Amino acid sequence: MKDILDSVKCVHFVGIGGSGMSPVAEILYALGYTITGSDVNESDNVSRLRGLGIPIFMGHDAAYVDGADLVVYTAAVNRKNPELLAAENQNIPLVERAKILGMITRRYPNTVAVAGTHGKTTTTSMLAQICLEAELDPTLFIGGRLPAINANGRVGKSDTMICEACEFQDHYLEMNPAVAVILNVDADHLDYFGTLENVIQSFHKFASKASKAVIANADDTNTQQAIAGLAQEVITFGTDSRCQWFARNIEMRDAYAVYDLYHNGVFFAHVSLSVPGEHNVLNSMAAAAAAPLCGASAEQIVQGISDFHGAGRRFEFLGTARDVTVADDYAHHPTEIRATLEAAKGMGYSRVWAVFQPFTYSRTARHLEGFITSLSNADEVIVSDIMGSREENTYGVSSKQITERIPGAQYLPTFEQISAYLLEHVQPGDLVLTMGGGDIYKCARMILNALKQ
């Protein structure tokens, strides 16, 4: 199947540092394309791509697209961006990132696409770790940094691609995977989908695109609705012994789970997790169910899961100073915040500080009650200003509406104010956990540096 990638050489990325853009750029660079990019923020992703030799400009300018055969952009980029306008004026093809990723997945006969409202990056990373250690040489696209390769993407020589598949604006419908994994289905991105029923229907469309099999969470009612009536083989995982893959004897040891994994009613392996939180039992089961379809053995699955200590921005421990530990997590939905804080509370710290940056006005307005409830699980709560990203605040929503309803919570608009406040108030034995889908990780580093000084 021919596509535009067969006829271009030089590709320019507008917003190259994004978590969905940088691995695509990295994969195309490894495949031999000439890559350039632009962004408005210096970031870890930008630094890593520059380290590969990719020229990246700060800011946006029409001149940056000169010489490009193709310009790739994301939904977050304004259509009046000077680089997009220049590409249109010069008749340079403009393609949204999700379409390019779809084209890449079609180059791999055994693409395993991992979808779900929560847990995508962790599960994709876990499966990637298994396959890397088993020397199966997969191509990878991950929404967070995998420490084993210190990158979000890589090109392998096998016919297997392990790919995070995001439901945002139906992006994953651009893919044609061999195996579709559904971890869970929850009400999110409702500014696009409108209703939970539409989200479920979207996941059904995604699952129906799988050519080989669908791996689905039998514990999740919405997932079960999403896979109803599929023609594909469905492989289930969960805690019910009727699932093809099920867990028994789940124990939590200082927030880390151990359990017995069964396959088709027969004991498969004893599994020990090195990422915190009981929610990761289901994530690891999904990875275990997908791994044999990539060629991994039981021993390799158990070893890979045990060796996986988390992905970038997924309960990532950044360091300890003055006996205060600082960690960072991408949690930006009430369900994720609750799961992350439950894991943190089981780790034996004196107090857990939740430092939350709400991401987008629409999500903050829609999930306001959920944020108040989930954040209340922390011992201390700080909320920064909302990161609006691509949106205008037409909702009349503010971070104060969260902190006003949580006893003792602080609204501190800037990262500098948060860091200064914590320096005054943290005590030895505390855990400071920054959370959000924006750039709150910068605040985490600021806090850790302040503690060290």
Side-chain angles (χ1 to χ4, degrees), residues 343-356:
K345 294 283 280 185
M347 296 174 118
Y349 291 100
S350 303
R351 292 183 299 174
V352 174
W353 291 77
V355 181
F356 179 55

Side-chain angles (χ1 to χ4, degrees), residues 126 253 256-260 269-275 284 301-308:
M126 209 176 272
R253 297 177 183 170
Y256 296 87
V258 296
Y259 66 94
D260 293 326
H270 183 70
V271 180
S272 299
L273 298 186
S274 300
V275 282
S284 66
I301 291 168
V302 171
Q303 190 64 53
I305 289 174
S306 174
D307 289 344
F308 176 70

